Amino acid sequence: MSAKQNSRKSKWALDFNVSKNADIPSPAGYNPTALVNQTEIVRDQRLVIKKSWDLALGPLKQIPMNLFIMYMSGNSISIFPIMMVGMMLIRPIKAMFTTQVTSKMAEGAQGTGQRIVYILGNLANVGLALYKCHSMGLLPTHASDWLAFVEPQTRLEYYGGGISFI
Amino acid sequence: MADAHFLAGALTSAMLVLLSTTVVVNGLYEDQIKKFDWRSMHVGAAKHIHVDLNHFQPRLLLGTHEQVVASICPKTGEIGWRQVLEQKARGDIKLLQVSGFADDSSDTAAAPVGTHLGFDMLTVQGHAPALVRGWNTNTGTIEWEWSVMPLNTERAQDAHWFYSNSLLYHVVPTWRSHLEVTAYFGTSGHTTGSTSKIMAAWIKPESCLLSGTFFVCVDGKQLISLDLVAKSTQVIATTLDTEPTSKVQALAGLNGVLVVNRKLVSVNKAQTVCDTLQSSSYAVGTFNYRKIVAYGDLAEGVLKIKAAYLDNCAPVPELDQSLTFNADYGTPSLRSFDCKLKRNGDGKSCLFVFSTSAESIVAVQQNRVRWVREEALANVVDSQFIDLPLADSEGTLENEMKGKSVDATGFETDIASAFLRRITTQAIQIKSLFLHVIGLGPPPTDTQRAGLVRDSFGLHKMLVLLTRSGKIFGIDNIIGKHHWQLYLPNVVGFGNDENMRLIVQRTSKHFPLQPLCTIVAKDLSTGNGVLYRFNPITGRAAEGGLLQLDYQIKQLSLLPEAEPDFVKGILLLDATNKVHVHPKHATQLADGMYLYTADVKTSELAGYFVKYAGEKLSTTPIWTVHLCGHNNEQKIVAVAGKSSIEHVHSQGRVLGDRSVLYKYINPNLVAVITQAPDALHKSILNLYLIDVVSGSIVFTMTHRKVRPPVHIVHSENWLAYSYYNDKVRRTEITTIELYEGKTQANSSVWSSLKAPMMPLVERQSYIIPTVVEALRETITERGITNKHVLIGTANGAIIEMPWALLDPRRPIASTTQGREEGAIPYIPELPLPTENFINYNQTIARLRNIYTAPSGLESTCLVVATGLDLFVTRVAPSKTFDLLKEDFDYILISIVLVALTSGSLIVRHLASRKLLKQAWK
């Protein structure tokens, strides 16, 4: 208690006996932790960059997982594989449109790079989904898919006749 | 290895299960019976008629040219029973003898019921063997039968049979030499002794006939006759007043009496006749227990029937009848009559039965036609489905649309007037509706009164049937009512067994112009061509009706629609290879047409090109193909082109790897099948696919040990034909599909002259465990619906066979590729499940042909099967995908809809109230 009082006293009492060599107490209102804070801010920024790289690389990291899901779901056309392919296709596209928001905090030197990586990762996912669609036969990539639109040939010659009546 | 076999077996069986579930099954439900179809039964043109009103069960017994024996109810004309007998010469009815027939010369052989000694009715059919059958006329069953196999079958063709005194006589003439007469006991078939040979050098094939027991030959002005049952074979010569101008006929019922030059002549001394009577047809019967002869004649549309007592030739005034006789019945001839046995009868019970030149059977009683049987329908040779006309209101709308399409160029300037017209038409419609409601509207037209108005799905059509006798019928395809009938006397089918043609020159689509049909036939007397134009909805002649041409028709073709009246011209090729067009204003459209003829006598095909230059048409022969083989033995047995109204929707076939195999759709391709005897293989059948524009042979194939009957169906890029395999004695169907390959040479235009490469040909043969009588493909409006093949069988069934089963690409080994393509593994036997019989138990006797036509619905195809019977139905090869099911639950659906809508409204209201309450808290 006394020590506390002591310190409180020493806060406002000026001791002129102290030699000049001794450390001069900081001025009133001076917060020495401010210096420490500055270094921490630098460290945080690095962290944020790291974090946003994580975010940017997220889609790329999903690829092995997606590959596994694709492999597991097979090429048959039924409700679950269709739903999966749908999700695989829609999610990256959605994510791409929200890129502005996610990379707002990563504005800085590496912001554009991250954005490019993020979009590329999403595009890779879209590509994977499209490949899946293709292997499931959902893409009109074959001639047979356009067969219904093939117009019949116009005939140039007309004929008549048959077994002779005479 | 065994495991592999087991696996393959399991796979096949799995595929079989799959097949039985996936192939469209078209069975009807029980409550759909006779809902979409109807059948009318016929017996054919009458050959022997016998009316018996005094039997405990009044009856009219018939033997017909179609080789049918039937009993008809004399009151209504309906068939009591009918027995369809053997076809061709074997079933030819030579004699129909009814016991108790009032004929003095033959006693009745009526024996006590239940014994084997007598007969009710006896028929003799065929010549080698001749079949003698005893019938029970109440039930229509055969009671007994015996047969005679003549030693000389060729001579037996001209044999006559007659019945006299319980004995059945077989008379075999050897022309210009002698007669062989054998007597048999009618019911047992035992001969009474040896065959007697009567020398008669005066008998000639064209001038002799049998009248009762007398064998009579015409020799100039003389009738030379011989009584075959008399003890002494004495030749009697009767001199006539004049030489017979028409064919001499025997009068049934009187022994030794003939009709010569419309008069009665007796060669039998024991039989006197009234030689003053003059008529074209006579019949003998009894009235008031006295024998009479009745005769009927048609004069200016009035049929007059008179009768005279045979003993004193006094007229019988009670039987005098006179009635107007429709021209479309043809020329009548009195065949038989009978009256109820009564003393002092007034003749009102007498029924006179006529057969006519239009193959009708007409029964007359009390000065009116009691009933008519249209037996011409037993020989339909061509058929068309015609769209019915529009109702008035829709007609005006159609007119408006047409006006719009014409004014399409000046669209902007015309908007106001089009709008005005629209308003006026709608005002008129409302006015007519109002007038109709209060009963002041204009009287409906004839066709509207008859219910002949187009329905929304185009399923209700006028079925126009052309028959061999030249009679044309307009029949309602839904209810089977005969709306109109026409009779063209003096026309016959063409040479080489080619039938008359029924052609639609203008369809019903061009309102207010009426549809127009034309019959192309040959004149009976001159052999020149005949055209008859008529309106198929009303059955009245149009555009002048009958047109006699002054040349013989060799072939014909239909031209495209001509302005301004939308008539499709008919291009006729005459015997001298000149071409003519009817109507004349369509002549220019014939420019650039190709024609071909197939000569069945020489097995030669010839192609012609038609050119229009200097207001005239000319033909240039451009190619000939000889199919007669090196020793001229090949005979053309069948020629089949594609339907001209066919649309091919799908241009290719999707393979297992999802690539496309493009179809080879050559619209000018014609299949020709020739047959030739062969020393090694008995019989050879050759198939040629010929492009008749360029004359190039696209594909040929040979079948060994195979013979006709051949039936072909040719459509899109495929061909199916049935034949009899002599080696294994069964009917087989071979199918062929033609493909261009994985790319199309020219995807926009088809020209046979810039011939694309030879097509890829897929072929396969199948065994069909029945005898095929007719083949036809289904056809729909746009060709989107699958095509099925309708197979008419000899036992009167029509089987709907999906093309998937006839597909030549059915893989023999069960491969994944084939499975992915949707092809069923190859099994040689075609399954004939009873659900696929589109006529279920309504057997079509003597099925001869099947005709198909598209309806207004893409899914539905209209079918008419002809033969002795007529069967009309509709089929939906891919099921009725464009139509709600019949048992669609409208009530449930509407209840659910109303409940959901009202429920959501209520819930919304409740929710808003709750929100309000929460806001106040």
Side-chain angles (χ1 to χ4, degrees):
Chain A
M1 194 68 179
S2 64
K4 208 177 182 182
Q5 264 176 350
N6 227 7
S7 70
R8 202 172 275 173
K9 194 191 267 174
S10 67
K11 200 176 180 183
W12 298 104
L14 289 170
D15 187 3
F16 295 105
N17 298 329
V18 179
S19 70
K20 288 201 174 167
N21 290 345
D23 277 350
I24 300 160
S26 305
Y30 178 73
N31 185 4
T33 54
L35 251 182
V36 181
N37 273 0
Q38 204 136 38
T39 54
E40 264 184 11
I41 282 167
V42 173
R43 218 172 345 139
D44 274 0
Q45 244 170 6
R46 218 179 282 143
L47 248 174
V48 166
I49 288 168
K50 207 183 151 203
K51 200 84 192 150
S52 25
W53 269 117
D54 271 357
L55 258 175
L57 289 173
L60 280 174
K61 283 180 187 156
Q62 271 177 14
I63 289 175
M65 186 62 191
N66 280 348
L67 277 172
F68 180 68
I69 291 173
M70 269 169 56
Y71 170 71
M72 289 305 283
S73 57
N75 279 345
S76 65
I77 295 175
S78 59
I79 184 80
F80 284 105
I82 290 280
M83 271 163 69
M84 272 170 203
V85 168
M87 289 304 286
M88 276 164 68
L89 199 64
I90 289 164
R91 249 185 7 215
I93 291 170
K94 253 187 181 168
M96 267 195 285
F97 283 109
T98 50
T99 315
Q100 285 299 327
V101 187
T102 47
S103 56
K104 215 167 227 174
M105 49 184 176
E107 268 170 15
Q110 291 169 318
T112 33
Q114 282 167 2
R115 222 174 293 171
I116 287 165
V117 168
Y118 186 75
I119 288 172
L120 280 180
N122 276 323
L123 281 179
N125 268 328
V126 170
L128 256 185
L130 284 178
Y131 171 72
K132 180 70 183 168
C133 282
H134 169 76
S135 58
M136 281 170 82
L138 292 175
L139 293 184
T141 49
H142 289 95
S144 58
D145 300 314
W146 304 98
L147 185 61
F149 303 100
V150 178
E151 287 292 313
Q153 294 153 311
T154 358
R155 64 191 279 198
L156 291 183
E157 299 98 3
Y158 286 86
Y159 81 92
I163 289 179
S164 168
F165 292 164
I166 306 170
Chain B
M1 195 64 203
D3 277 354
H5 270 287
F6 171 72
L7 202 68
L11 259 175
T12 333
S13 53
M15 286 306 287
L16 266 178
V17 171
L18 198 77
L19 184 156
S20 56
T21 49
T22 51
V23 167
V24 184
V25 175
N26 288 291
L28 281 178
Y29 291 104
E30 198 176 348
D31 58 348
Q32 288 179 316
I33 284 177
K34 295 198 177 172
K35 203 164 180 185
F36 311 123
D37 54 64
W38 52 268
R39 174 178 66 158
S40 72
M41 291 171 72
H42 304 281
V43 293
K47 193 173 185 183
H48 307 274
I49 301 184
H50 177 76
V51 196
D52 190 355
L53 298 180
N54 298 306
H55 197 255
F56 71 90
Q57 189 183 348
R59 61 197 179 164
L60 194 160
L61 297 170
L62 275 178
T64 71
H65 287 285
E66 296 301 312
Q67 305 170 1
V68 170
V69 176
S71 167
I72 286 178
C73 173
K75 281 184 184 148
T76 60
E78 280 159 12
I79 295 175
W81 53 262
R82 180 185 78 169
Q83 295 294 348
V84 181
L85 304 175
E86 294 88 339
Q87 272 178 297
K88 297 185 185 140
R90 195 180 162 88
D92 184 26
I93 301 169
K94 305 242 173 184
L95 177 74
L96 184 138
Q97 180 76 38
V98 180
S99 76
F101 190 42
D103 185 351
D104 290 338
S105 61
S106 61
D107 67 346
T108 63
V113 178
T115 62
H116 292 287
L117 298 167
F119 62 86
D120 214 358
M121 182 174 82
L122 175 148
T123 59
V124 181
Q125 287 171 261
H127 58 91
L131 299 167
V132 184
R133 285 166 174 168
W135 299 81
N136 179 339
T137 54
N138 299 321
T139 58
T141 47
I142 296 177
E143 306 242 293
W144 48 260
E145 182 189 76
W146 53 270
S147 62
V148 181
M149 190 66 199
L151 292 171
N152 188 332
T153 54
E154 266 166 47
R155 260 189 282 153
Q157 271 179 351
D158 302 320
H160 296 274
W161 291 80
F162 67 92
Y163 183 81
S164 173
N165 289 321
S166 304
L167 292 178
L168 190 63
Y169 292 84
H170 186 201
V171 184
V172 183
T174 305
W175 300 117
R176 295 172 201 283
S177 167
H178 63 272
L179 288 163
E180 283 167 24
V181 182
T182 321
Y184 298 92
F185 287 105
T187 51
S188 65
H190 294 297
T191 52
T192 53
S194 59
T195 303
S196 59
K197 207 166 173 183
I198 302 166
M199 299 311 290
W202 39 268
I203 55 172
K204 280 173 272 168
E206 64 280 356
S207 62
C208 292
L209 74 160
L210 194 74
S211 169
T213 63
F214 285 82
F215 195 83
V216 187
C217 287
V218 184
D219 185 21
K221 273 175 77 172
Q222 269 196 331
L223 289 178
I224 303 166
S225 55
L226 193 63
D227 190 353
L228 297 172
V229 293
K231 292 277 184 297
S232 60
T233 53
Q234 193 191 347
V235 177
I236 310 152
T238 318
T239 314
L240 300 171
D241 303 337
T242 51
E243 211 166 300
T245 48
S246 57
K247 206 165 179 292
V248 175
Q249 283 173 315
L251 179 63
L254 287 182
N255 191 14
V257 177
L258 301 130
V259 183
V260 187
N261 291 341
R262 297 167 56 85
K263 281 185 171 178
L264 295 177
V265 176
S266 174
V267 292
N268 181 2
K269 288 203 181 83
Q271 183 69 54
T272 53
V273 287
C274 311
D275 49 9
T276 52
L277 304 177
Q278 278 251 1
S279 174
S280 54
S281 59
Y282 296 89
V284 180
T286 44
F287 178 65
N288 291 347
Y289 297 100
R290 283 173 79 184
K291 269 208 134 173
I292 57 166
V293 57
Y295 50 100
D297 283 286
L298 186 68
E300 286 155 6
V302 178
L303 176 66
K304 286 203 167 83
I305 303 169
K306 286 190 167 70
Y309 290 110
L310 261 178
D311 42 12
N312 58 5
C313 294
V316 190
E318 295 97 320
L319 293 188
D320 276 6
Q321 316 244 346
S322 154
L323 62 147
T324 51
F325 201 74
N326 286 357
D328 57 56
Y329 292 156
T331 319
S333 67
L334 182 62
R335 299 299 295 272
S336 182
F337 76 95
D338 200 19
C339 304
K340 279 254 163 69
L341 266 188
K342 272 190 279 189
R343 278 232 179 267
N344 304 320
D346 51 5
K348 280 185 178 163
S349 66
C350 292
L351 187 76
F352 298 85
V353 181
F354 292 83
S355 70
T356 71
S357 58
E359 299 189 355
S360 309
I361 300 171
V362 184
V364 173
Q365 193 173 23
Q366 293 181 31
N367 289 318
R368 61 187 183 87
V369 173
R370 176 122 195 186
W371 51 260
V372 184
R373 287 194 64 84
E374 299 292 359
E375 295 304 335
L377 286 172
N379 277 299
V380 174
V381 294
D382 210 347
S383 120
Q384 291 284 354
F385 283 93
I386 311 284
D387 279 318
L388 292 174
L390 292 162
D392 272 349
S393 53
E394 285 166 44
T396 43
L397 213 70
E398 187 98 331
N399 254 1
E400 184 198 356
M401 302 306 259
K402 206 170 275 168
K404 210 180 259 172
S405 71
V406 168
D407 301 336
T409 46
F411 185 67
E412 277 118 30
T413 54
D414 233 25
I415 272 186
S417 65
F419 180 69
L420 207 69
R421 195 161 45 202
R422 179 89 207 203
I423 294 292
T424 45
T425 43
Q426 273 173 354
I428 289 166
Q429 274 177 29
I430 290 167
K431 189 180 136 201
S432 71
L433 189 77
F434 179 69
L435 285 175
H436 181 75
V437 167
I438 60 168
L440 284 174
T445 58
D446 284 352
T447 50
Q448 279 173 331
R449 210 176 296 134
L452 287 178
V453 173
R454 202 181 295 177
D455 62 338
S456 43
F457 293 141
L459 292 170
H460 190 189
K461 294 202 183 194
M462 179 68 86
L463 172 59
V464 180
L465 295 174
L466 173 64
T467 64
R468 196 184 55 190
S469 63
K471 191 156 182 177
I472 312 139
F473 293 86
I475 300 178
D476 192 312
N477 80 321
I478 301 277
I479 51 172
K481 187 187 166 194
H482 295 196
H483 282 295
W484 53 263
Q485 38 208 269
L486 278 170
Y487 176 56
L488 294 183
N490 303 321
V491 294
V492 282
F494 299 103
N496 299 331
D497 287 334
E498 287 294 298
N499 290 318
M500 293 181 250
R501 299 292 154 94
L502 174 64
I503 288 169
V504 184
Q505 280 200 287
R506 181 167 56 213
T507 59
S508 306
K509 293 200 173 86
H510 307 288
F511 189 85
L513 292 168
Q514 291 292 312
L516 181 70
C517 276
T518 299
I519 282 162
V520 185
K522 190 171 94 172
D523 192 277
L524 185 64
S525 46
T526 62
N528 286 340
V530 174
L531 297 182
Y532 182 75
R533 277 80 52 89
F534 65 99
N535 178 340
I537 303 298
T538 59
R540 293 193 194 104
E543 312 230 341
L546 199 69
L547 180 70
Q548 297 274 2
L549 305 175
D550 53 359
Y551 48 86
Q552 285 185 308
I553 299 173
K554 193 173 180 186
Q555 248 309 330
L556 59 96
S557 171
L558 209 55
L559 297 177
E561 268 172 18
E563 297 289 340
D565 55 357
F566 305 103
V567 164
K568 288 180 183 168
I570 301 176
L571 181 69
L572 297 165
L573 182 71
D574 71 11
T576 56
N577 290 342
K578 285 201 186 77
V579 281
H580 311 263
V581 173
H582 289 276
K584 285 276 181 286
H585 68 259
T587 307
Q588 209 173 340
L589 291 169
D591 186 33
M593 276 290 287
Y594 292 83
L595 278 170
Y596 84 97
T597 58
D599 193 331
V600 287
K601 293 184 199 97
T602 57
S603 302
E604 194 178 290
L605 269 72
Y608 305 93
F609 180 64
V610 181
K611 213 160 49 188
Y612 179 77
E615 314 263 301
K616 269 166 111 184
L617 285 174
S618 58
T619 53
T620 322
I622 46 174
W623 55 265
T624 51
V625 174
H626 300 268
L627 300 176
C628 47
H630 61 281
N631 47 5
N632 291 338
E633 276 183 335
Q634 301 276 352
K635 290 270 168 278
I636 293 178
V637 290
V639 174
K642 295 174 187 177
S643 167
S644 55
I645 55 166
E646 176 181 275
H647 288 279
V648 185
H649 184 257
S650 179
Q651 298 300 304
R653 178 177 182 141
V654 182
L655 299 185
D657 59 358
R658 299 181 64 210
S659 59
V660 176
L661 197 54
Y662 286 98
K663 291 175 181 174
Y664 177 86
I665 303 166
N666 182 350
N668 307 320
L669 200 65
V670 166
V672 180
I673 291 185
T674 63
Q675 190 242 345
D678 188 82
L680 195 62
H681 304 295
K682 273 193 192 164
S683 168
I684 280 184
L685 219 60
N686 284 331
L687 166 80
Y688 301 90
L689 292 179
I690 299 176
D691 187 315
V692 290
V693 166
S694 64
S696 66
I697 295 178
V698 174
F699 178 67
T700 64
M701 193 155 78
T702 302
H703 295 272
R704 290 179 187 87
K705 293 186 181 165
V706 147
R707 62 178 172 82
V710 174
H711 300 279
I712 319 187
V713 54
H714 190 182
S715 169
E716 292 193 359
N717 67 325
W718 54 263
L719 178 75
Y721 53 98
S722 70
Y723 50 82
Y724 184 76
N725 189 329
D726 232 355
K727 191 180 171 193
V728 275
R729 300 176 190 208
R730 65 188 177 203
T731 306
E732 293 179 353
I733 291 185
T734 293
T735 55
I736 290 179
E737 270 186 336
L738 305 172
Y739 290 100
E740 260 190 54
K742 300 245 172 155
T743 50
Q744 255 179 320
N746 187 342
S747 59
S748 55
V749 160
W750 177 275
S751 169
S752 291
L753 298 176
K754 295 191 185 82
M757 65 279 181
M758 290 291 126
L760 307 170
V761 181
E762 303 275 354
R763 55 197 124 158
Q764 197 60 274
S765 290
Y766 295 95
I767 303 163
I768 180 153
T770 180
V771 179
V772 177
E773 285 289 323
L775 285 180
R776 185 71 62 174
E777 84 280 13
T778 61
I779 185 164
T780 52
E781 191 79 34
R782 302 252 145 245
I784 298 166
T785 309
N786 285 343
K787 286 222 167 204
H788 284 187
V789 177
L790 300 175
I791 303 173
T793 68
N795 53 8
I798 304 174
I799 302 153
E800 195 179 350
M801 184 69 71
W803 183 251
L805 289 173
L806 290 169
D807 192 353
R809 285 181 62 85
R810 283 176 69 176
I812 289 179
S814 175
T815 58
T816 19
Q817 209 224 329
R819 226 177 7 250
E820 276 176 15
E821 202 180 304
I824 306 154
Y826 177 72
I827 301 160
E829 292 88 2
L830 289 171
L832 302 179
T834 43
E835 309 92 86
N836 284 9
F837 285 37
I838 60 169
N839 58 336
Y840 44 104
N841 66 351
Q842 306 228 58
T843 307
I844 304 151
R846 299 256 172 82
L847 180 61
R848 210 169 293 129
N849 212 338
I850 303 169
Y851 301 91
T852 53
S855 73
L857 280 180
E858 170 54 32
S859 65
T860 310
C861 166
L862 304 173
V863 179
V864 53
T866 63
L868 191 60
D869 296 344
L870 194 67
F871 181 74
V872 178
T873 189
R874 55 191 191 218
V875 291
S878 302
K879 299 213 170 167
T880 48
F881 56 82
D882 47 4
L883 204 62
L884 284 180
K885 281 212 174 92
E886 278 197 320
D887 52 356
F888 183 78
D889 206 336
Y890 293 94
I891 297 165
L892 185 77
I893 290 282
S894 26
I895 286 173
V896 166
L897 267 179
V898 168
L900 277 177
T901 329
S902 50
S904 59
L905 282 175
I906 292 164
V907 166
R908 203 173 78 175
H909 178 68
L910 289 177
S912 66
R913 248 180 36 187
K914 199 181 169 191
L915 271 176
L916 199 66
K917 267 183 194 163
Q918 263 178 348
W920 275 108
K921 261 178 199 169

